[in-house]
Amino acid sequence: MFTKIVSLWQELAINNRVEGIYLSEDNLINLEIENLSQEKQSFHSFQLFLADNIQALLLVEKKINDLYYQITITFDCQEIVDFIELINPRIDSENLTQINSILSYSTNKDNPDQHFIFTLMKILTEPLMFQDNYLNDYSQHQAIEVILRNRIEQERILHQVTQQIQQDLDLLVIVKMTIEQVQSLLQIDRLLIYQLRVPIKDKSSEEITYIDTVTYEAKASSVIPSVLNFQEESCFNNIKDSEKKYLEGFYLAIEDVNYSNLNPCLKESMRKLGVKAKIAMPIIVKNKLWGILIAHQCFSVRKWKSNEINFLKSITEYLAVAIYQYNSYHTLEEQKKLLEKQVAKKAKQLQDALLVAQIANQSKTEFLGSISHELRTPLTCVIGLSGTLLHWSKDVKNNLSLEQQIRYLKIIQDSGRNLLQLINNILDFADIEAGKSLLYMEDISLENLSKMVYLSALEISQNQGIKIKLDYHITKDLDLFYCDGERLYQILLNLVDNAIKFTPFGGEVTITMRRNKTQAIFQIEDTGIGINKEQIPLLFTKFQQLENYRTRTHSGTGLGLALTKHLVELHGGIIEVKSIIDKGSIFTVSLPNSSPTFSIKSKINEEEIKEVSGLKINKTIVIICEDDEIGTFLCQLLTAADYQIIWLVDVYEAIHRIRLINPSIVILEQNKEASLDICKTMKSESKDNLYLMVIKDEISGSEWENLSNFGVDEYLLTPLQPKILLRKIAKIINT
């Protein structure tokens, strides 16, 4: 455009029949005068033509870049005189004399050449001429002033949209303002945006569905019916084909809907909406069809002009920029919130870890006091009574009676057993903490186990006035149970001992055993003092006693229940507690019926097992998890342990890829998406025997039974314990 305008000035000088003068920056004298420094900065270049019938100045104030210039065009005599005074020192004397002469005697200053003006206006309107027929749209029907006014208004709207995008205004504000102004400028009856894949959240189920609907609308009058939230599904069965066409640059412009080649369904839909003519322009964001800008003419047919079509194209491009920026901003906001949440979570974890460390330190102090007390009591008995026996054994005249000697020896023996049990508990707990404890799995008789526990309970409760009751509900066909019998006996005996300890004289302790095909359930119920609800979480904490060792009335180191919980978890089981103050407590242990194929065999070093039956072990593990923290933890831990890890987020994608990946283990984060039916489908899709583990925050005995019925082989409770997890994985992989 600038080149054409410069050429127009040059043609004016060449073709003008009246003598005139033409000047540009090339005609100036290059004088090095200090007072010209300001003049040099005031403009980039200029074109000046002076004659009696026309004075025209084209001043290029600055060059923004290779494509854009900031210019001033003036025919005002005074403005031209002011500019000449600015460059006066650099005009040679001959040209200056001629300029002064023309400016002094020109007779037609206010009536410039009309042909020149029309040609200039024609050049300035060229941005609207995207197609050759643009002038035909306007030249016969509209004056050049109307063309320029429309063009200026279009540029104003585009500039306003740009400003709003730069100001990061809300997308709703930008789109609403834009379509309202465009509808008003182009005098469109109804301008709307038909948005694709709008997310809708179901209030009851919390599920998100996606629909195509009208989300924005601007109307010329209230008489025109609204189509806001309008959905049309039946006519868009081939939407994918339409999307492809729109992405390739297709747009729809129909002057008369009745005589268009629209499909009958869409044409009928337009008739119902009262549409006579329409335009549909795609809004493409990141190479995807985000929506369609649609213009409806409702009361008459309309011949759409090329400048209107191109203006609507520009509007869709600007809206696409606004939408992309809005989406990017919200993505960054979500990431920021997620990071802030993770930072807050980490800070809370650090705070909790500090608190736990402080409690652990206090608990260890309590433990040292407790263990000292527990060791001192039986040792005092052993040393005191053995000393008494030695003393009286030397005195022949005053010998102790046989009954007294037997009673003293019995007390010494019981104290020794208590010491041994105490030391064994400490050593067992140390082995479990160090990951050195192994289970020696075998088939045991639950009936024999129940009798042993019952007899031990009777012995412990002797002379304490506590009734022991055995409630056994296991048929003979389910009597054999695969577990570590010695450890299971230890679990039950610890619970029975604990129940007797906290049950007062005249109370009752009931041992209940039940069994089904998948698990065995053991319950120890007492009528004791009960436990506060707030203190139940502390029961299974190591070195933790609910009474202070200086003031408590019941003995113990605080290791028994912690050791019991670890032994239960080694079996893959769970332990639960229900308690009411002054009513009693119920401890429930649920153990899965382990298969010999997947048990830990005695005297087998897991690190040395590399191949089974000459076949290479499949060490591929698939993790299906949306939680970044859990997924990262599992990946890092299992990768360091030399397993091949594949982390998938989408559970449905995982189902389709299971057969291709063929993992030996799938670790599934249990949530709303991962239902029980999905567990069963995943097992059926695998080529070989797939071992399925689920991650849960907590689990009850009935819930575990339900999970196992749907093909779940194992569960992991959060927070995940690295040692237990690695032990379970090694057991499964190597066998």
Side-chain angles (χ1 to χ4, degrees):
M1 189 193 305
F2 176 71
T3 304
K4 289 182 180 180
I5 292 174
V6 171
S7 299
L8 179 62
W9 252 257
Q10 293 171 350
E11 289 174 8
L12 187 64
I14 295 171
N15 300 331
N16 201 284
R17 287 169 288 184
V18 182
E19 185 177 356
I21 182 169
Y22 170 79
L23 285 179
S24 69
E25 67 275 6
D26 296 332
N27 300 115
L28 298 180
I29 302 171
N30 188 16
L31 297 177
E32 295 186 3
I33 304 174
E34 290 183 5
N35 61 2
L36 289 181
S37 59
Q38 185 176 358
E39 169 258 309
K40 287 181 181 179
Q41 297 173 3
S42 63
F43 66 90
H44 180 267
S45 62
F46 71 93
Q47 307 284 327
L48 175 64
F49 180 78
L50 297 175
D52 287 342
N53 65 332
I54 183 171
Q55 297 86 39
L57 171 64
L58 167 64
L59 181 63
V60 182
E61 296 175 3
K62 62 180 176 181
K63 181 180 179 182
I64 298 173
N65 53 43
D66 291 338
L67 296 177
Y68 294 97
Y69 297 79
Q70 182 173 317
I71 68 170
T72 296
I73 297 173
T74 182
F75 308 110
D76 183 78
C77 185
Q78 185 57 49
E79 290 183 7
I80 293 173
V81 169
D82 292 341
F83 178 74
I84 290 172
E85 289 178 356
L86 179 67
I87 63 172
N88 192 3
R90 297 183 62 187
I91 303 175
D92 60 31
S93 56
E94 183 180 348
N95 285 333
L96 187 59
T97 302
Q98 192 175 357
I99 288 170
N100 291 331
S101 175
I102 292 173
L103 292 176
S104 300
Y105 298 103
S106 58
T107 58
N108 201 16
K109 298 175 184 177
D110 298 326
N111 188 21
D113 183 273
Q114 296 298 318
H115 175 73
F116 171 78
I117 296 299
F118 182 77
T119 306
L120 177 61
M121 292 298 100
K122 188 175 179 181
I123 294 171
L124 291 174
T125 59
E126 282 185 351
L128 292 171
M129 295 192 295
F130 296 99
Q131 299 179 10
D132 293 337
N133 63 344
Y134 169 76
L135 285 181
N136 295 331
D137 291 342
Y138 281 98
S139 58
Q140 297 178 358
H141 305 287
Q142 291 183 292
I144 194 70
E145 292 85 355
V146 176
I147 298 173
L148 288 174
R149 189 164 56 248
N150 286 339
R151 177 58 181 173
I152 291 169
E153 187 63 20
Q154 291 179 13
E155 292 290 350
R156 184 192 65 78
I157 293 174
L158 294 176
H159 178 67
Q160 189 173 4
V161 175
T162 304
Q163 284 185 320
Q164 290 181 328
I165 292 172
Q166 292 171 347
Q167 293 170 7
D168 288 329
L169 291 182
D170 188 83
L171 182 64
L172 175 63
V173 175
I174 296 175
V175 176
K176 192 172 183 300
M177 181 280 301
T178 303
I179 65 171
E180 285 177 354
Q181 294 197 17
V182 172
Q183 177 272 322
S184 176
L185 175 64
L186 300 184
Q187 297 181 355
I188 296 169
D189 290 341
R190 182 167 53 214
L191 187 64
L192 58 93
I193 290 180
Y194 189 79
Q195 187 176 339
L196 306 181
R197 293 176 289 276
V198 180
I200 302 295
K201 190 174 184 179
D202 191 288
K203 293 182 180 179
S204 58
S205 64
E206 297 294 322
E207 292 184 357
I208 296 178
T209 56
Y210 296 88
I211 63 170
D212 302 337
T213 184
V214 176
T215 50
Y216 303 92
E217 177 188 61
K219 301 186 297 175
S221 70
S222 58
V223 178
I224 300 170
S226 173
V227 293
L228 201 61
N229 301 321
F230 171 79
Q231 301 176 45
E232 178 54 81
E233 298 177 358
S234 59
C235 299
F236 297 143
N237 294 329
N238 59 341
I239 189 67
K240 290 186 177 179
D241 296 335
S242 300
E243 284 189 32
K244 184 178 179 182
K245 288 168 63 178
Y246 278 123
L247 290 173
E248 292 173 351
F250 170 79
Y251 68 89
L252 187 67
I254 298 175
E255 298 178 359
D256 190 340
V257 170
N258 292 327
Y259 294 97
S260 66
N261 59 351
L262 290 174
N263 68 67
C265 177
L266 194 55
K267 190 178 290 187
E268 178 62 21
S269 180
M270 292 297 100
R271 187 189 67 76
K272 290 179 181 179
L273 296 175
V275 178
K276 304 291 185 183
K278 69 176 290 186
I279 285 181
M281 289 283 177
I283 301 174
I284 299 171
V285 180
K286 288 188 70 176
N287 299 321
K288 289 184 179 180
L289 185 62
W290 180 87
I292 304 172
L293 179 66
I294 302 175
H296 285 166
Q297 208 64 25
C298 298
F299 298 112
S300 63
V301 297
R302 176 168 176 169
K303 183 178 181 181
W304 301 101
K305 298 179 177 63
S306 56
N307 82 301
E308 294 172 339
I309 293 173
N310 285 289
F311 177 54
L312 289 175
K313 279 185 181 178
S314 299
I315 289 295
T316 60
E317 291 169 0
Y318 277 69
L319 288 178
V321 172
I323 293 163
Y324 175 74
Q325 180 169 302
Y326 176 80
N327 292 341
S328 300
Y329 173 77
H330 276 265
T331 301
L332 288 173
E333 280 292 304
E334 289 176 3
Q335 291 176 349
K336 178 187 173 186
K337 289 178 182 177
L338 179 62
L339 288 173
E340 288 175 349
K341 186 177 178 182
Q342 289 177 344
V343 168
K345 186 177 180 181
K346 291 294 183 186
K348 180 71 168 57
Q349 288 176 345
L350 288 173
Q351 189 176 15
D352 292 345
L354 179 61
L355 183 61
V356 168
Q358 291 171 346
I359 293 173
N361 186 50
Q362 181 181 352
S363 298
K364 286 183 179 179
T365 303
E366 292 279 337
F367 171 71
L368 290 174
S370 172
I371 200 69
S372 301
H373 178 81
E374 292 297 323
L375 290 171
R376 187 185 297 116
T377 303
L379 281 174
T380 300
C381 290
V382 170
I383 295 169
L385 291 177
S386 61
T388 301
L389 287 171
L390 284 172
H391 173 75
W392 288 109
S393 65
K394 295 176 183 178
D395 191 342
V396 179
K397 294 180 180 180
N398 299 311
N399 240 345
L400 287 173
S401 66
L402 181 61
E403 290 79 8
Q404 285 180 312
Q405 293 180 34
I406 293 173
R407 186 164 62 87
Y408 287 175
L409 288 172
K410 182 71 168 56
I411 294 172
I412 291 171
Q413 185 184 45
D414 289 343
S415 298
R417 284 177 178 174
N418 289 338
L419 280 173
L420 181 62
Q421 181 64 34
L422 177 63
I423 294 168
N424 284 338
N425 280 349
I426 295 172
L427 293 175
D428 283 344
F429 196 86
D431 284 343
I432 290 174
E433 286 279 275
K436 296 178 181 179
S437 180
L438 289 175
L439 298 181
Y440 299 99
M441 309 294 283
E442 58 184 349
D443 283 320
I444 68 161
S445 169
L446 292 177
E447 185 177 3
N448 292 339
L449 176 69
S450 65
K451 292 176 181 178
M452 290 171 59
V453 174
Y454 178 68
L455 292 173
S456 299
L458 287 175
E459 186 178 349
I460 296 171
S461 64
Q462 191 176 11
N463 300 323
Q464 294 190 34
I466 297 172
K467 183 180 178 182
I468 305 298
K469 181 181 176 183
L470 176 62
D471 196 1
Y472 187 78
H473 299 281
I474 300 176
T475 58
K476 289 202 176 287
D477 60 318
L478 294 176
D479 180 56
L480 291 181
F481 188 71
Y482 202 79
C483 66
D484 186 326
E486 185 179 341
R487 291 299 193 184
L488 181 53
Y489 173 76
Q490 186 179 359
I491 290 169
L492 298 178
L493 196 60
N494 278 346
L495 294 177
V496 168
D497 183 49
N498 194 69
I500 293 172
K501 185 189 300 180
F502 293 98
T503 300
F505 186 88
E508 182 178 278
V509 173
T510 303
I511 305 166
T512 304
M513 294 190 181
R514 295 194 303 274
R515 167 76 199 277
N516 57 34
K517 290 182 179 180
T518 59
Q519 63 180 348
I521 299 171
F522 309 92
Q523 277 189 341
I524 310 298
E525 182 177 358
D526 64 65
T527 57
I529 61 176
I531 308 164
N532 280 322
K533 188 177 180 181
E534 296 77 15
Q535 291 181 311
I536 287 179
L538 302 175
L539 277 175
F540 303 106
T541 306
K542 58 186 177 181
F543 311 129
Q544 182 68 48
Q545 275 227 324
L546 303 187
E547 297 177 295
N548 188 282
Y549 72 92
R550 293 186 178 90
T551 59
R552 70 171 186 255
T553 56
H554 302 90
S555 61
T557 60
L559 280 179
L561 288 180
L563 175 62
T564 300
K565 182 174 184 289
H566 276 293
L567 291 175
V568 170
E569 289 178 345
L570 272 178
H571 279 86
I574 53 177
I575 184 168
E576 299 171 298
V577 184
K578 292 182 181 178
S579 185
I580 301 174
I581 292 293
D582 297 330
K583 296 290 184 180
S585 305
I586 302 175
F587 285 77
T588 303
V589 173
S590 302
L591 297 184
N593 186 26
S594 303
S595 166
T597 309
F598 295 107
S599 63
I600 303 178
K601 299 297 183 179
S602 60
K603 301 179 182 179
I604 295 180
N605 189 342
E606 293 177 352
E607 298 296 326
E608 295 177 355
I609 299 178
K610 299 298 179 182
E611 293 189 358
V612 177
S613 302
L615 298 176
K616 187 175 180 181
I617 294 175
N618 181 4
K619 301 181 75 174
T620 302
I621 300 174
V622 169
I623 298 169
I624 306 171
C625 176
E626 291 183 356
D627 190 297
D628 291 342
E629 188 174 346
I630 293 177
T632 304
F633 168 77
L634 287 172
C635 283
Q636 291 177 347
L637 179 67
L638 296 178
T639 301
D642 199 28
Y643 295 109
Q644 296 172 357
I645 306 303
I646 298 174
W647 182 5
L648 301 175
V649 175
D650 189 345
V651 68
Y652 296 101
E653 178 190 3
I655 290 174
H656 296 305
R657 297 178 62 181
I658 283 294
R659 185 173 290 273
L660 178 64
I661 299 171
N662 189 29
S664 59
I665 299 175
V666 169
I667 301 176
L668 173 66
E669 179 191 15
Q670 186 78 7
N671 52 34
K672 289 182 180 179
E673 294 292 327
S675 65
L676 294 177
D677 289 331
I678 288 174
C679 296
K680 184 178 286 187
T681 304
M682 197 170 294
K683 293 282 288 225
S684 63
E685 284 292 322
S686 62
K687 293 180 182 178
D688 302 322
N689 291 330
L690 177 68
Y691 201 87
L692 181 58
M693 308 174 77
V694 297
I695 302 173
K696 292 185 71 67
D697 295 329
E698 57 182 16
I699 189 171
S700 63
S702 58
E703 189 177 2
W704 164 242
E705 183 178 356
N706 195 27
L707 283 171
S708 62
N709 289 335
F710 278 84
V712 177
D713 301 295
E714 185 67 271
Y715 66 87
L716 302 169
L717 294 179
T718 57
L720 298 174
Q721 302 296 323
K723 292 178 182 178
I724 295 176
L725 173 62
L726 289 175
R727 189 182 300 116
K728 288 183 177 183
I729 294 294
K731 175 182 69 173
I732 298 161
I733 290 289
N734 291 324
T735 57

